[in-house]
């Protein structure tokens, strides 16, 4: 059974930074992509950033040049460095792993609140 555990969320002032971490455990065979999604109150879950097995990345327009996604293949871990945070970044952030065989795994989420 695969488990994804996120950490690093919290309360931060506008303009501040946070670093999210996600570590996966269990039987993970071939990762196609790892990503961070977010869901703000009353809104649908959306992609924030993703990183593929090749190392290429993809970002939502709203977070480009502020967020950086990275990974550690040896630990099946993915990270999200978030800088210049804005109140509209407030959301629950979910870690995701998508395997080549089509299996899709989610973490339980970590809350990020950007407020003064």
């Amino acid at each position: 059974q695969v488990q994804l555990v996120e950490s690093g969320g919290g309360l931060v002032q506008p303009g501040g930074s946070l670093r999210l971490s996600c570590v996966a455990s269990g039987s993970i065979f071939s990762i196609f992509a790892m990503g961070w999604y977010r869901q703000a109150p009353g809104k649908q879950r959306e992609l924030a950033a993703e990183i593929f097995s090749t190392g290429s990345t993809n970002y939502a327009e709203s977070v480009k040049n502020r967020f950086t996604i990275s990974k550690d293949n040896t630990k099946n871990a993915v990270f999200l460095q978030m800088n210049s945070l804005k109140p509209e970044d407030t959301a629950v952030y979910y870690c995701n792993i998508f395997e080549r065989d089509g299996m899709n795994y989610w973490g339980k989420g970590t809350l990020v609140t950007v407020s003064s």
Side-chain angles (χ1 to χ4, degrees):
Q1 186 174 353
V2 175
Q3 284 190 320
L4 278 61
V5 179
E6 302 106 331
S7 61
L11 173 64
V12 62
Q13 292 187 341
S17 298
L18 282 176
R19 179 178 169 84
L20 304 183
S21 299
C22 172
V23 180
S25 61
S27 300
I28 299 174
F29 296 104
S30 182
I31 295 175
F32 177 70
M34 305 174 78
W36 289 95
Y37 289 71
R38 63 185 186 180
Q39 187 167 16
K43 294 188 177 182
Q44 289 190 329
R45 190 175 298 187
E46 64 176 9
L47 174 71
E50 61 187 343
I51 184 166
F52 298 92
S53 57
T54 58
S56 63
T57 57
N58 181 43
Y59 294 91
E61 284 293 328
S62 59
V63 309
K64 276 184 180 178
N65 302 315
R66 299 189 298 121
F67 290 10
T68 302
I69 190 169
S70 61
K71 62 187 175 82
D72 183 339
N73 292 330
T74 64
K75 299 179 181 179
N76 283 334
V78 62
F79 310 98
L80 187 67
Q81 178 66 44
M82 305 185 294
N83 298 329
S84 301
L85 283 161
K86 305 175 181 179
E88 51 264 43
D89 294 317
T90 294
V92 177
Y93 284 71
Y94 297 91
C95 175
N96 172 262
I97 287 181
F98 186 68
E99 289 193 305
R100 295 184 185 278
D101 61 3
M103 295 299 292
N104 204 17
Y105 303 104
W106 293 93
K108 294 183 178 180
T110 185
L111 177 63
V112 172
T113 304
V114 185
S115 175
S116 54

